[in-house]
Amino acid sequence: MIQELHDIQAAAGATFAELTTKEIVPVSFGNDAQAIAATKQGAALYDRTHWGRIQISDSDRLRFLHNQSTNNFNILKPGQGCDTVFVTSTARTIDLATAYATEDAVLLLVSPNRRRQLLELLDRYIFPMDRVELTDLTDTTVAFSFLGPESTQLLEKIGVTELENQPYATHKLINFAGMEVRVAVGSGLATPGYTLIAPASDAAKLWHELVKAGAVPMGDRVWEQLRITQGRPAPDFELTDDYNPLEARLLHTITYDKGCYIGQETIARLNTYKGVKQQLWGVQLSGAVEPGTAVTIGEEKVGKLTSFTETESGFFGLAYIRTKAGGEGLKVQVGSVSGEVVNVPFLSS
């Protein structure tokens, strides 16, 4: 079923690569500049099928997830959703996920390289009395995201009008061209847009219809560039055992008065005593530099570069910078190149 989707994408000029997690993804459609332009003036279409989709069902699902991650699940009603961070017992980041509450389940959209880890983690915390069931839906579903200011008009073309101006992660199950598709507000980045989840059996047909409606296909290479320039932290780069959600500036995912959950004591203490020693920022760079390079001011190390990309307008990275060193506007050295610390839209929300 996914092969049929890849065949359509290949016919449209897609080149593919295998991720370290073994998923095959379209890296580029040979139209990177056009795809970037579409995110600013039109609507780009990104294939997120390689991301993980985990369903949590049964009557204790909301309470269970409430206890496992940083956001407040107990207040979620069907049709609502939120971003949340899964952390270790010492509040180190594992993944940034998006949750969609339905009438009888919660669907988690998680990073490709964290799906198995999260399945094992969640399974470990299900106790015999818990009415909770985990199902990995990754292989039986697909996920696509629209990015760009014309996304709402594109949705209108396929008959979806109810989600305009709705809160982030609001979602609805619709019937489109005989296909059952869940459409949610939010592109996964700071760019406005929507995310669609559908059965894998409809993958090729759905992609074809969305492109026919005017969406510009966009490969993983452009997504990664946008991820970095907009500041979405990613596992193995910004979300690791070295950092917590406050340092990653994922403040919109944290509910401080929700009671106990894994990592809660550390997060509460850091917040109460203003104990955040470093924070994630964008860095405008004068040249190319490898992730992992130290960020310095004079002889003093003040941080570390975690991601790097080259864009049409120059070089850009994400870095954790020591809080005491400063923030936006700070002039730094990253290896042999100079840089200026800037704010990024994903972390400004």
Side-chain angles (χ1 to χ4, degrees):
M1 293 179 283
I2 299 302
Q3 187 55 52
E4 193 183 348
L5 171 63
H6 286 173
D7 289 345
I8 285 183
Q9 292 170 334
T15 52
F16 295 84
E18 184 175 286
L19 301 179
T20 53
T21 45
K22 302 301 181 193
E23 289 94 346
I24 306 293
V25 301
V27 178
S28 174
F29 287 83
N31 67 340
D32 291 1
Q34 184 191 358
I36 290 169
T39 68
K40 296 172 182 173
Q41 290 127 22
L45 177 62
Y46 175 58
D47 184 356
R48 294 176 77 182
T49 299
H50 58 293
W51 290 57
R53 286 165 296 286
I54 301 170
Q55 178 180 278
I56 296 91
S57 54
D58 218 336
S59 56
D60 288 337
R61 62 191 181 275
L62 291 175
R63 179 188 59 78
F64 174 73
L65 284 168
H66 191 82
N67 295 340
Q68 303 303 323
S69 68
T70 58
N71 219 330
N72 189 344
F73 278 82
N74 285 342
I75 61 169
L76 285 186
K77 302 283 187 286
Q80 295 179 335
C82 65
D83 280 349
T84 196
V85 182
F86 289 91
V87 295
T88 67
S89 56
T90 55
R92 302 301 181 167
T93 55
I94 299 171
D95 195 20
L96 167 63
T98 305
Y100 305 110
T102 71
E103 294 288 346
D104 54 8
V106 176
L107 183 60
L108 291 178
L109 183 62
V110 305
S111 300
N113 51 355
R114 288 295 183 268
R115 169 173 60 117
R116 289 179 179 85
Q117 185 180 345
L118 284 171
L119 278 164
E120 289 169 10
L121 179 81
L122 293 171
D123 189 56
R124 195 183 315 144
Y125 284 103
I126 298 175
F127 297 108
M129 297 297 286
D130 289 335
R131 298 178 67 87
V132 175
E133 189 174 332
L134 292 181
T135 312
D136 186 359
L137 299 182
T138 309
D139 293 337
T140 57
T141 57
V142 292
F144 304 144
S145 282
F146 288 139
L147 302 92
E150 298 290 316
S151 298
T152 298
Q153 288 90 318
L154 203 144
L155 271 191
E156 285 174 1
K157 286 185 185 176
I158 66 172
V160 183
T161 55
E162 309 94 316
L163 293 175
E164 188 172 1
N165 300 321
Q166 290 300 303
Y168 175 77
T170 301
H171 56 97
K172 185 175 177 60
L173 200 60
I174 63 144
N175 190 290
F176 164 55
M179 299 175 282
E180 206 168 64
V181 183
R182 187 167 301 282
V183 183
V185 177
S187 68
L189 294 175
T191 302
Y194 299 87
T195 295
L196 288 69
I197 298 172
S201 54
D202 292 328
K205 182 182 177 185
L206 180 59
W207 182 271
H208 173 75
E209 292 292 338
L210 297 175
V211 171
K212 193 169 79 173
V216 176
M218 180 182 105
D220 197 57
R221 187 163 61 204
V222 173
W223 170 274
E224 185 64 5
Q225 185 188 119
L226 293 172
R227 177 192 80 74
I228 296 168
T229 55
Q230 295 189 9
R232 178 180 172 126
D236 297 337
F237 295 93
E238 293 77 32
L239 304 179
T240 72
D241 274 346
D242 295 325
Y243 310 109
N244 63 61
L246 292 170
E247 292 171 334
R249 291 172 63 199
L250 294 172
L251 305 183
H252 71 288
T253 70
I254 302 170
T255 304
Y256 293 107
D257 59 358
K258 60 175 271 187
C260 284
Y261 62 93
I262 294 170
Q264 179 260 340
E265 285 182 19
T266 303
I267 288 173
R269 192 165 59 246
L270 286 167
N271 182 55
T272 301
Y273 297 108
K274 306 290 181 271
V276 179
K277 294 185 171 64
Q278 56 193 344
Q279 285 189 301
L280 187 61
W281 293 91
V283 187
Q284 202 79 52
L285 298 159
S286 63
V289 63
E290 286 292 317
T293 302
V295 179
T296 57
I297 299 176
E299 297 296 308
E300 185 185 6
K301 181 182 176 183
V302 296
K304 185 173 88 169
L305 194 78
T306 52
S307 289
F308 169 81
T309 187
E310 184 175 355
T311 74
E312 293 169 316
S313 54
F315 305 96
F316 197 87
L318 293 174
Y320 279 96
I321 305 288
R322 200 180 301 157
T323 309
K324 285 181 179 173
E328 192 170 9
L330 187 70
K331 300 288 194 292
V332 295
Q333 197 69 20
V334 186
S336 61
V337 308
S338 59
E340 181 179 341
V341 175
V342 297
N343 217 342
V344 276
F346 192 86
L347 303 178
S348 307
S349 54

